[in-house]
Amino acid sequence: MSILINKETKVLVQGITGRDGAFHTSKMKDYGTNIIGGISPGKGGSDVGGIHVFNTVEEAVKATGANVSVIFVPAPFAGDAILEASYAGVELVVCITEGVPVQDMMKTMPVLKQNGTKLIGANCPGLITPGECLIGILPGMIFKKGNVGLISRSGTLTYEVVNMLSESGLGQSTCVGIGGDPVSGLYFIDLLEMYENDPETDAVVLIGEIGGDAEEQAAAYIKEKMTKPVVAFIAGQSAPPGKRMGHAGAIISSGSGTAEEKIKAFNEAGVPVANEPGKIPGLVKEKLGI
Amino acid sequence: MKIHEYQARNLFRKYGIPVPDGVVCHSVEDVEKNVPNNDKLRVVKAQVHVGGRGKAGGVKLAKTKAEAVEKAGQILGMNIKGLTVEKVLVADAVDIEKEFYVGLINDRNSKSVTLMASAEGGVEIEEVARVSPEKIIKLSIDSTMGLMDWQARKIALQLFSDPNEMRQAAAILVKLYRLYVETDSSLAEINPLVLTPDKQVLAIDGKMNFDDNALFRQPEILKMREATEDEKKEIEANEKGLSYIKLDGNIGCMVNGAGLAMATMDMIKLYGGEPANFLDIGGSSSPQKVVEAMNILLSDSNVNAVMINIFGGITRCDDVARGLVTALKEIDTDIPVVIRLSGTNAKEGLEIIREFGLATVSTMSEAAQKAIELSRG
């Protein structure tokens, strides 16, 4: 078990003929991910590193039975790619593309809901169930199979933390990078619920950052519904208000979304917050009684 | 991206939202030349990209044209929260019977555009939200349908009891939504929306922000960009694929990834230092990018130590190290640099850096402490 993806997952790559799409497809394949097709409109029938290319997602799903699609198409077309995947009936769409206009993302939301499609991203590194399936741009070699779930709004900071967890002997069940945009797909609460119900996850690490109030909502959810321990970290404690810190979602404005408020909410929910990433593995071990 | 009030007013006009007459002036001569020759009551308002200009003395009433000229002279050149006032808006003052607030935002929670309205206008909406949240009416708008007329009327009915006033307000809401969507806005506020004694509903002050991710398809909006000096640097960095924000400290940071860059700044603060900037060099670490990043860092004269923090994922640390060495050979500086590499092939990477003769450390906390130490000489 794990959440969202495992060795049975069949993956399509939208934008497989692009530079990033082709590069990461080969990395995912090397990791052992079951990539069973790619999509590139107008290039159907061709081949990228031994993977068959289709013109449309619909065609690819019909031919292969794929249940997940990962998107590498450029930002102006990413919203449409998400819609195409949703209408083709995949269960999970992972959008790696950075810089997607917010309104394009908002347009996809009612459609995803209507079709029952789950979305991760946009502007995210993807997700991994170590040893089984890697979807996105995560560096597979730093992950280890284990019982810690991880959810993060960041990319490299996630790798940093995962590397520390793995080095201290804490493997991971599934790690999900939910992305740094203000409007995105699955968020903390959706994933916390999945981890709570996953028998192979014993503890969860949550990496949040400034902006919005998703961390506060997560804290309230943990307090009320979670039995498994959660350890948190918040990036951006020193960021000035009103400035966008790389991620479009990381803006503190008008007194909401500050690191202090988030840390306070977690502390009140009994969730320890590490003051630096290096302290996370120790806190997880403490919670697991190792 | 932010625009000035006068630019927001121009967009309001274009979309049929009524605003009082006004002219934007860059100088006292502009006021003399462009403001009509009559002695109406006018308001002279500083055009700067910060809130709280009224409290700072950037908004003044003028009873005559001569007084408008005088007040403009006082406001132009004024410093408001570190920004110099280069323009004023001289607008007709209107009598106000009642003030309201209406605004549209991209709401993270409902993942939709949300309309907010309140009978508590003219004050900061954040303050209303904090003190009496029940006084804010909220509506999440379905992106496939847009703001429907009946919804606009329903909101307007909660603010206006007179049918004629209600219709004027509802029409303004629908126009504001259309403007918002068509320009890829991320915030559009009318505060205050006013009712005049002769029962006209007017937008007195407006604020609009736009989604930076959508500027590629909004050439008209992009033309309105008036960047401050700091913002110009940020935009220049952006064009090179770097994300840079200047801060007030003295330790320059170069990091791959936004989250890690934020965590690096936090770490410097945690150990008693002050970060000079946020700088994310993105996923790839090509030597050229490092050189550009380094040049941007060192253009800030406050910087007296640099911390480079790289996590090698798919890009291996030894490749990153070679890039850093190539880049640092090109840059001539006495400012001490601390390099921390972690992740894939970190050992090999650190070896390459050490051979080049620079300080290396293996953890983020060590790097922060070392950079702080070096910055103190």
Side-chain angles (χ1 to χ4, degrees), chain A residues 12-25 28 37-41 43 48 53-55 57 69-74 77 81 84 97:
Chain A
L12 295 173
V13 180
Q14 283 174 266
I16 194 168
T17 53
R19 195 191 52 153
D20 292 343
F23 175 75
H24 290 289
T25 298
M28 287 187 275
I39 290 93
S40 186
K43 292 181 185 157
V48 173
V53 178
F54 298 87
N55 281 316
V57 184
S69 182
V70 56
I71 294 174
F72 287 96
V73 309
F77 319 109
E84 184 183 355
T97 311

Side-chain angles (χ1 to χ4, degrees), chain A residues 23-24 27 76 99-104 106-107 109-110 137-139 141-142 153-154 156-157 159-160 163 182-185 209-213 217 233-240 243-247 249-250 254 275-277, chain B residues 2 106-109 111-113 126 142-144 180-182 184-185 211-214 216-217 230-231 234 243 245 247 256-260 262-263 265-267 269-271 275 278 280 309 311 313-314 340 342-344 364-365:
Chain A
F23 175 75
H24 290 289
K27 292 280 168 195
V100 184
V102 179
Q103 295 204 7
D104 292 3
M106 292 193 300
K107 267 185 203 146
M109 295 301 163
I137 60 174
L138 303 150
M141 60 290 250
I142 61 169
R153 280 169 74 176
S154 154
T156 43
L157 179 58
Y159 312 157
E160 178 83 49
N163 199 41
V183 173
S184 17
E209 61 187 35
I210 51 168
D213 66 352
Q217 291 182 33
F233 177 76
I234 306 292
Q237 301 185 31
S238 59
K243 285 282 188 181
R244 165 174 161 160
M245 293 287 143
H247 290 160
S254 318
N275 65 354
E276 56 175 293
Chain B
K2 293 176 181 173
N106 289 337
D107 180 34
R108 297 159 184 261
N109 292 331
K111 301 178 186 183
S112 66
V113 177
E126 290 83 2
D142 184 320
S143 61
T144 43
Y180 187 91
V181 172
E182 288 181 5
D184 275 299
S185 181
D211 177 7
D212 291 336
N213 286 351
F216 71 89
R217 63 184 179 201
D230 283 355
E231 283 164 354
E234 291 162 15
S243 176
I245 291 163
L247 303 168
N256 64 336
L260 191 60
M262 275 191 270
M265 288 162 44
D266 296 346
M267 188 78 85
K269 254 207 147 126
L270 185 68
Y271 286 103
F278 167 94
D280 169 15
N309 184 15
F311 189 91
I314 284 182
R340 181 267 179 165
S342 181
T344 316
M364 262 171 89
S365 32

Side-chain angles (χ1 to χ4, degrees), chain A residues 35-196:
Chain A
I35 308 272
I36 54 170
I39 290 93
S40 186
K43 292 181 185 157
S46 63
D47 182 279
V48 173
I51 295 161
H52 188 78
V53 178
F54 298 87
N55 281 316
T56 66
V57 184
E58 189 183 14
E59 203 188 316
V61 168
K62 274 192 187 138
T64 64
N67 56 349
V68 175
S69 182
V70 56
I71 294 174
F72 287 96
V73 309
F77 319 109
D80 185 60
I82 294 170
L83 291 170
E84 184 183 355
S86 175
Y87 280 112
V90 301
E91 294 157 22
L92 174 70
V93 181
V94 182
C95 184
I96 306 300
T97 311
E98 186 181 342
V100 184
V102 179
Q103 295 204 7
D104 292 3
M105 291 307 295
M106 292 193 300
K107 267 185 203 146
T108 68
M109 295 301 163
V111 175
L112 295 170
K113 199 173 166 189
Q114 170 202 310
N115 295 340
T117 319
K118 295 188 188 87
L119 170 70
I120 291 174
N123 188 17
C124 78
L127 71 165
I128 180 171
T129 293
E132 298 191 29
C133 183
L134 181 161
I135 298 177
I137 60 174
L138 303 150
M141 60 290 250
I142 61 169
F143 295 85
K144 258 197 190 121
K145 197 164 183 57
N147 60 353
V148 178
L150 184 141
I151 324 168
S152 172
R153 280 169 74 176
S154 154
T156 43
L157 179 58
T158 311
Y159 312 157
E160 178 83 49
V161 173
V162 165
N163 199 41
M164 289 170 179
L165 289 171
S166 295
E167 280 180 355
S168 68
L170 292 165
Q172 305 89 40
S173 53
T174 303
C175 297
V176 186
I178 56 178
D181 282 353
V183 173
S184 17
L186 294 182
Y187 232 81
F188 291 137
I189 294 182
D190 311 295
L191 293 160
L192 286 170
E193 191 180 357
M194 292 180 199
Y195 284 124
E196 175 71 13

Side-chain angles (χ1 to χ4, degrees), chain B residues 10-319:
Chain B
N10 289 345
L11 288 169
F12 288 172
R13 274 243 155 113
K14 193 174 158 197
Y15 278 79
I17 297 168
V19 294
D21 286 334
V23 281
V24 62
C25 302
H26 295 73
S27 63
V28 171
E29 294 72 39
D30 265 5
V31 183
E32 277 164 354
K33 207 168 70 190
N34 299 331
V35 172
N37 276 319
N38 55 40
D39 286 339
K40 270 188 189 171
L41 183 66
R42 293 189 174 93
V43 57
V44 185
K45 298 157 112 179
Q47 301 293 295
V48 275
H49 287 159
V50 285
R53 61 187 174 164
K55 275 185 204 146
V59 179
K60 293 183 196 294
L61 277 172
K63 290 192 202 79
T64 62
K65 179 168 175 183
E67 216 181 309
V69 172
E70 185 198 327
K71 295 285 161 70
Q74 291 166 7
I75 296 172
L76 284 162
M78 187 185 258
N79 185 306
I80 300 180
K81 295 183 185 169
L83 297 175
T84 307
V85 181
E86 286 166 357
K87 287 185 198 105
V88 290
L89 171 69
V90 183
D92 290 356
V94 293
D95 289 329
I96 295 170
E97 194 171 291
K98 236 185 141 214
E99 295 183 291
F100 306 87
Y101 168 93
V102 296
L104 292 164
I105 53 154
N106 289 337
D107 180 34
R108 297 159 184 261
N109 292 331
S110 63
K111 301 178 186 183
S112 66
V113 177
T114 295
L115 172 68
M116 294 190 295
S118 177
E120 305 276 310
V123 291
E124 273 194 25
I125 195 67
E126 290 83 2
E127 190 58 19
V128 181
R130 204 174 56 79
V131 181
S132 37
E134 74 286 351
K135 288 185 177 156
I136 300 176
I137 308 158
K138 281 188 183 175
L139 173 75
S140 294
I141 300 165
D142 184 320
S143 61
T144 43
M145 294 309 295
L147 178 65
M148 293 172 262
D149 288 343
W150 67 267
Q151 290 176 313
R153 286 197 302 273
K154 190 178 156 186
I155 299 279
L157 271 168
Q158 294 176 68
L159 303 177
F160 297 87
S161 48
D162 175 80
N164 172 40
E165 293 161 17
M166 179 275 286
R167 282 205 182 86
Q168 289 183 60
I172 288 173
L173 292 179
V174 170
K175 286 167 182 166
L176 187 67
Y177 178 77
R178 198 162 68 85
L179 165 63
Y180 187 91
V181 172
E182 288 181 5
T183 57
D184 275 299
S185 181
S186 56
L187 172 84
E189 283 185 331
I190 303 177
N191 190 22
L193 178 76
V194 305
L195 176 67
T196 63
D198 58 352
K199 308 302 173 199
Q200 298 300 305
V201 181
L202 289 177
I204 297 294
D205 196 347
K207 182 176 170 185
M208 288 191 79
N209 293 348
F210 301 90
D211 177 7
D212 291 336
N213 286 351
L215 290 175
F216 71 89
R217 63 184 179 201
Q218 296 292 349
E220 294 304 313
I221 299 298
L222 195 54
K223 274 189 211 152
M224 293 186 203
R225 176 148 76 187
E226 288 176 21
T228 60
E229 284 312 307
D230 283 355
E231 283 164 354
K232 276 181 194 156
K233 242 174 152 179
E234 291 162 15
I235 292 162
E236 191 194 317
N238 238 304
E239 280 160 1
K240 291 176 179 151
L242 306 165
S243 176
Y244 172 83
I245 291 163
K246 194 191 166 314
L247 303 168
D248 299 327
N250 57 332
I251 299 173
C253 316
M254 187 195 304
V255 189
N256 64 336
L260 191 60
M262 275 191 270
T264 302
M265 288 162 44
D266 296 346
M267 188 78 85
I268 289 171
K269 254 207 147 126
L270 185 68
Y271 286 103
E274 286 294 332
N277 63 279
F278 167 94
L279 175 59
D280 169 15
I281 59 169
S284 84
S285 305
S286 70
Q288 198 212 344
K289 239 186 186 177
V290 176
V291 173
E292 274 160 2
M294 207 59 189
N295 285 335
I296 289 171
L297 277 189
L298 298 176
S299 70
D300 176 355
S301 57
N302 292 334
V303 169
N304 58 7
V306 172
M307 168 174 171
I308 301 180
N309 184 15
I310 304 288
F311 189 91
I314 284 182
T315 332
R316 291 165 14 208
C317 284
D318 47 340
D319 283 344

